[in-house]
Amino acid sequence: MTTQTPPTSQDSLARLAEVIASRRGGDPDKSYVARLFHKGTDTILKKIGEEATEVVIAAKDGDAQKIVYEVADLWFHSVVALTQFGLTPADVIAELERREGLSGLAEFASRPKT
């Protein structure tokens, strides 16, 4: 008997990224994602800013369900941005795994100064 491993959050993000990538060249009149890509990077980044602001507002209101809803919107649009730049959620997860076990202050100090 084989046991199946339950899907992970990483699996869900990978599936989402695949769907988003598949809609990149789609008809902007029929697909919201295709419309975002058609409008370009500035529109995608503006949408991330809007969603981040909505997360902050939801958190200040303290409504757990609204926070989850708005973070889902933020993650969705972040995956659109990753796709726009040829990246995937796996790239972000790899970076988070690289940071695992590091002091946040030490990791921040090790970043190149801009």
Side-chain angles (χ1 to χ4, degrees):
M1 177 173 134
T2 60
T3 56
Q4 240 180 352
T5 306
T8 66
S9 299
Q10 187 171 347
D11 296 332
S12 297
L13 288 171
R15 283 192 311 275
L16 175 62
E18 288 172 8
V19 170
I20 287 171
S22 75
R23 295 185 181 161
R24 187 173 191 161
D27 183 346
D29 292 328
K30 295 181 180 175
S31 166
Y32 173 71
V33 171
R35 185 176 302 153
L36 286 172
F37 285 123
H38 179 75
K39 289 184 175 183
T41 301
D42 285 347
T43 296
I44 294 167
L45 298 178
K46 180 180 175 188
K47 197 64 187 159
I48 290 174
E50 290 170 10
E51 298 302 342
T53 300
E54 289 173 7
V55 169
V56 171
I57 292 167
K60 289 189 78 63
D61 290 344
D63 182 337
Q65 184 58 40
K66 194 172 180 184
I67 294 167
V68 169
Y69 181 87
E70 296 301 345
V71 170
D73 282 351
L74 178 58
W75 286 13
F76 175 88
H77 289 90
S78 295
V79 174
V80 172
L82 289 170
T83 303
Q84 177 75 351
F85 291 100
L87 300 166
T88 67
D91 296 313
V92 177
I93 290 166
E95 174 60 15
L96 290 171
E97 288 172 348
R98 183 192 69 78
R99 295 179 188 184
E100 191 174 345
L102 293 177
S103 155
L105 295 175
E107 193 283 324
F108 185 74
S110 72
R111 294 181 188 179
K113 305 296 182 233
T114 56

